[in-house]
Amino acid sequence: MKEANKLNITRSQELFEEAKTLVPGGVLGARKPGDFIEGEYPIFLEYGKGSRLTDVDGNEFIDFLCGYGPIILGYREDEVDDAVIKQIKDKGFCFTLTQRYQNKLAKKLTELVPCSELSIFLKTGSDATTAAIRIARAYTNRIKVMRCGYHGWHDWCVEMKGGIPEKFYEDVYEFRYNNLDQLEDLMKKYGDQTAAIIMTPFGHPIHQKMEIPKPGFLEGVRELANKHGTVLVFDEVRTCFRLRMGGAQELYGVTPDLTVLGKGMANGYAISVVTGKADVMMAAAQKLFISSTFFPNSDGYIAALKTIEILERDNVLNNIWEKGNRLLANIQNSIDKYEVGAELSGVAPMFFITFKRNETNTQKEKRDDFYTQLIRKGFFFTPHHHAYISYRHTEEDLDKTATAIDEAMAYVKEKYQK
Ligand SMILES: Cc1ncc(COP(=O)(O)O)c(C=O)c1O
């Protein structure tokens, strides 16, 4: 299989050199070149439409990162953008007091999300997970937290601990997804001091294979929370409005006390939510100050209302599951055909191709070769994060993707056979 030609990313690289003189490291966090494959991926994008992205050098990609999750419909979805622009032009979106859309959106969530009775609206997923923990601590008058998954960049949960006094996270304990025994042991020790168990109800640990819940796992966590009077928080920032309209809690039939939403609900506009049982949520009104200049800005609310309207009207999630299942079946065929140690995990709306550890320790090289072939061919996946499917991915996009994945695996097979 012929090696695909390297992309011309000259303009990206020039901009990056300039950025390094203006922004620490050039670009921060999960957008830095080290989070992709250095020298192969673009660093700056110029525009997107539907399922496609174009970088500053004019390279076009069929994209599977979806802005790291919020793009559930597609880039520049006219109906959503028009609704927001109309709001901005006709009424305005930043005021001293709240606009009435808050009520409409909160009401909608009570219809869609199983645990939703009262909601508060914020901007980012990190805002919302942090608010949920504060609410749980205030409600229970306890401090400790059990956590499982990525919950954002704030002091209590970020993986890189630089700049954070230990006391800000010393009461936070991690457990592994699908390891009920580990959580049970922690709760035996600390259950009566534990304010919250916060977890992603579908397993998507950083850089690792995705996991669906083992039979009884989520039910077991629910029972442990009940037994110890602990608030159960599902972090559905990635999964709500993707796996089901009501998130993984709807799909798997286990209802938490609180849940945190963000990403998929507004097709890219900044809005996040803590929603849940009224008695727990009331702590937010009685004991806490949760406020930001920007939380009530209505651009996010309008985008969310319009996005949810489209998701329901056009049966978008069914469409994504159907298309995705077909793509996943094709990917699995290629994996089985070439046997290069690739593994497919996840479900149709969000899935990940990873590489198994092997005796010669070449899994990282194979992985990077595989993803390099894909980006060179114009398919934007990354080795470090799972992929998403959006509504605007066409059948044709996904068939081309399946072919490119097959060719990339054939390339890896040939290269490592030698
Ligand atoms: C499950 C989960 N929780 C919380 C967050 C944090 O959200 P944000 O990046 O909007 O702060 C993320 C972001 O990737 C996430 O995936």
Side-chain angles (χ1 to χ4, degrees), residues 327-345 353-356 370 402 405-406 409-410 413 417:
L327 175 64
L328 263 55
N330 286 332
I331 295 173
Q332 191 59 53
N333 277 342
S334 302
I335 288 176
D336 296 342
K337 182 160 67 169
Y338 296 110
E339 295 182 329
V340 291
E343 292 182 299
L344 176 64
S345 58
I353 303 170
T354 47
F355 282 74
K356 266 189 282 215
F370 171 74
I405 286 174
D406 193 83
M409 276 192 201
K413 174 91 178 172
Q417 243 173 6

Side-chain angles (χ1 to χ4, degrees), residues 68 124-127 129 150-153 200 204 235 237-238 263:
Y68 275 120
T124 71
S126 304
D127 292 342
T129 54
Y150 177 75
H151 305 299
W153 70 276
T200 61
H204 46 77
D235 180 346
V237 165
R238 292 191 206 179
K263 303 217 190 228

Side-chain angles (χ1 to χ4, degrees), residues 344-362:
L344 176 64
S345 58
V347 288
M350 39 203 287
F351 62 93
F352 200 9
I353 303 170
T354 47
F355 282 74
K356 266 189 282 215
R357 186 179 288 281
N358 59 28
E359 282 149 22
T360 47
N361 254 336
T362 48

Side-chain angles (χ1 to χ4, degrees), residues 95-106:
F95 295 109
T96 318
L97 301 178
T98 307
Q99 287 177 288
R100 63 196 154 85
Y101 314 101
Q102 163 193 279
N103 298 9
K104 197 171 172 192
L105 186 54

Side-chain angles (χ1 to χ4, degrees), residues 48 65 84 108 190 214 217 230 240 269 274 280 342 345 386 414:
L65 265 289
V84 174
K108 190 78 216 168
Y190 304 120
K214 284 186 188 155
F217 173 61
T230 295
C240 200
Y269 290 86
V274 184
V280 184
S345 58
H386 64 79
E414 253 176 59

